[in-house]
Amino acid sequence: MAAIEVKGLRKVYRLGSEKVVALDRIDLEIEKGEVCCILGTSGSGKSTLLNMMAGLEKPTKGTIDIEGHRISAMNEAELARFRQKNVGFVFQSYNLIAALNALENVMMPLMFRRVPKGDREEMAMDILTKVGLEKYIAHKPNQMSGGQQQRVGIARAFVGSPDIIFADEPTGNLDTKTSESVMEIMLGMARQNEQTLVIVTHDPEVAAFADKVVHIRDGNVESIEIMRGEVKEYVHA
């Protein structure tokens, strides 16, 4: 069973009397433990596709299954519970809470899961150490660099070991060297824990880290590039 299965996905927005087709007809499978990159230019539909898979937007047509659960049929309350248990998010703009320090930001998802405070602190401290921020646990976001803030964001996404990690332009605000470091951290943790990692980006250098690259253009899958060992296979949609 695929970790994520998308069938006949279509998303149409209405702007007054106009219809804007953000996604035309998307069919896609992402395997468990796979690092999949959705690559496309601005306006291609890649972020809309990510939002659909994360249950943040409802499709106009089609179905989305994650780990055997049809999230496209869930209501908002069911989606919220599902995401709390199964999904982590990494954002381009970090989305840290300014009033909280690094440790408190990482503990937030565990609070929603009702993990006891002592366990929350231990789990957050452990993962902050893994991303190299053990000396920054008391720092607030405005006391950290962009790369450090993104590592806090990664720690928050991975704490509690969710099955699926969605990352939306995770290196978009970072320089090249920091981007490589951030990608290596995310991939290392995902592979170690056999988590499925889905990354949206416009950057081919980020896409080079993936097992599978889904090229999206004008709301359609243009082609799929699969890395097997040192060989890349091209699958045209």
Side-chain angles (χ1 to χ4, degrees):
M1 181 188 296
I4 302 174
E5 188 171 5
V6 176
K7 289 186 177 180
L9 190 65
R10 180 175 172 85
K11 181 64 177 179
V12 179
Y13 295 102
R14 291 187 178 273
L15 298 174
S17 60
E18 298 289 322
K19 287 184 179 180
V20 178
V21 179
L23 298 176
D24 193 1
R25 183 180 174 85
I26 302 286
D27 294 302
L28 178 64
E29 288 189 3
I30 300 173
E31 302 301 321
K32 183 174 179 60
E34 191 168 53
V35 177
C36 177
C37 181
I38 301 170
L39 180 66
T41 59
S42 178
S44 63
K46 62 185 186 301
S47 291
T48 301
L49 177 55
L50 183 78
N51 289 341
M52 297 285 112
M53 291 191 291
L56 300 175
E57 293 186 53
K58 287 286 188 181
T60 303
K61 288 184 180 180
T63 59
I64 304 165
D65 294 287
I66 296 182
E67 300 286 347
H69 301 273
R70 180 144 297 179
I71 68 161
S72 53
M74 293 181 182
N75 61 36
E76 291 303 319
E78 291 169 334
L79 281 167
R81 288 193 294 269
F82 180 82
R83 285 193 294 263
Q84 287 171 13
K85 293 180 181 179
N86 301 283
V87 178
F89 294 93
V90 181
F91 303 95
Q92 177 179 348
S93 56
Y94 322 133
N95 282 20
L96 303 179
I97 299 174
L100 302 182
N101 63 32
L103 187 68
E104 292 164 339
N105 266 286
V106 175
M107 288 168 57
M108 284 296 293
L110 302 175
M111 290 179 63
F112 292 117
R113 293 191 194 184
R114 299 182 180 179
V115 175
K117 184 178 180 181
D119 293 340
R120 291 200 305 264
E121 290 180 348
E122 184 178 347
M123 292 168 70
M125 185 66 211
D126 178 63
I127 201 159
L128 281 167
T129 300
K130 288 179 179 177
V131 300
L133 291 178
E134 63 272 18
K135 295 180 181 179
Y136 295 85
I137 62 169
H139 285 58
K140 292 183 177 179
N142 65 0
Q143 298 172 312
M144 292 183 283
S145 68
Q148 289 167 341
Q149 289 184 67
Q150 192 58 297
R151 280 189 277 166
V152 174
I154 292 168
R156 180 185 56 191
F158 280 86
V159 74
S161 299
D163 293 327
I164 311 287
I165 304 290
F166 291 114
D168 191 0
E169 297 281 7
T171 64
N173 290 340
L174 306 175
D175 60 57
T176 301
K177 184 176 180 181
T178 307
S179 295
E180 290 179 0
S181 175
V182 160
M183 288 302 302
E184 287 169 0
I185 289 170
M186 281 200 300
L187 265 67
M189 295 177 70
R191 295 198 190 286
Q192 182 178 2
N193 299 311
E194 297 183 344
Q195 292 161 291
T196 306
L197 176 58
V198 182
I199 304 165
V200 161
T201 187
H202 66 278
D203 187 350
E205 292 187 9
V206 171
F209 285 87
D211 304 317
K212 176 187 290 179
V213 181
V214 179
H215 296 262
I216 188 165
R217 183 176 181 179
D218 297 332
N220 289 284
V221 174
E222 190 173 43
S223 64
I224 298 175
E225 189 178 347
I226 300 172
M227 175 65 84
R228 301 190 189 281
E230 296 299 321
V231 179
K232 288 186 178 181
E233 299 177 3
Y234 293 88
V235 180
H236 290 278

